[in-house]
Amino acid sequence: MFSELQVALTGASFLSGAAVYYKTDNIQYLIPPFLLAINVPFTFAFIMPVNRELFGILDGTGKKNSTVEQLLNKWDLLHFGRTVLGTTAFVLALYGAFSDKSVIRF
């Protein structure tokens, strides 16, 4: 489900957020990396079961009572939740960077 690149980027985000927090002692630099890290358990807990059902239908081993359209709608809504988490993390990181004069100076 997660590629090596996604895991590496999530780890780099978390470590860089922790480093900036350590240097600035500003808690708002820890929130975006945590939001990005939440995507991993969210995917394993909620999206992977839907993926398994969809692949089961494709293989012929899935449940007969679930339709592809219902599962795709559910997957779409769950993936939207992941998108909201990532976008929120991005916006909060930008806000933190531009509001703290010790990080970005013009």
Side-chain angles (χ1 to χ4, degrees):
M1 173 59 46
F2 279 95
S3 69
E4 292 177 16
L5 178 63
Q6 288 172 316
V7 172
L9 289 174
T10 300
S13 167
F14 188 78
L15 290 175
S16 63
V20 173
Y21 167 71
Y22 179 75
K23 290 288 189 181
T24 62
D25 202 30
N26 188 346
I27 194 72
Q28 77 184 33
Y29 292 113
L30 286 180
I31 296 171
F34 274 114
L35 287 176
L36 289 177
I38 287 172
N39 274 328
V40 176
F42 180 82
T43 299
F44 284 121
F46 300 109
I47 295 179
M48 280 187 70
V50 176
N51 285 349
R52 286 190 185 116
E53 283 188 59
L54 285 168
F55 282 120
I57 290 172
L58 183 66
D59 296 341
T61 60
K63 298 176 184 175
K64 302 295 182 200
N65 60 354
S66 56
T67 66
V68 174
E69 185 179 357
Q70 289 173 333
L71 289 172
L72 287 175
N73 286 336
K74 184 177 181 181
W75 183 91
D76 186 40
L77 183 63
L78 292 170
H79 197 270
F80 178 72
R82 281 183 42 171
T83 303
V84 167
L85 284 173
T87 304
T88 303
F90 176 70
V91 169
L92 288 175
L94 281 180
Y95 175 75
F98 286 109
S99 66
D100 190 354
K101 298 301 181 199
S102 66
V103 177
I104 294 181
R105 296 180 192 146
F106 289 107

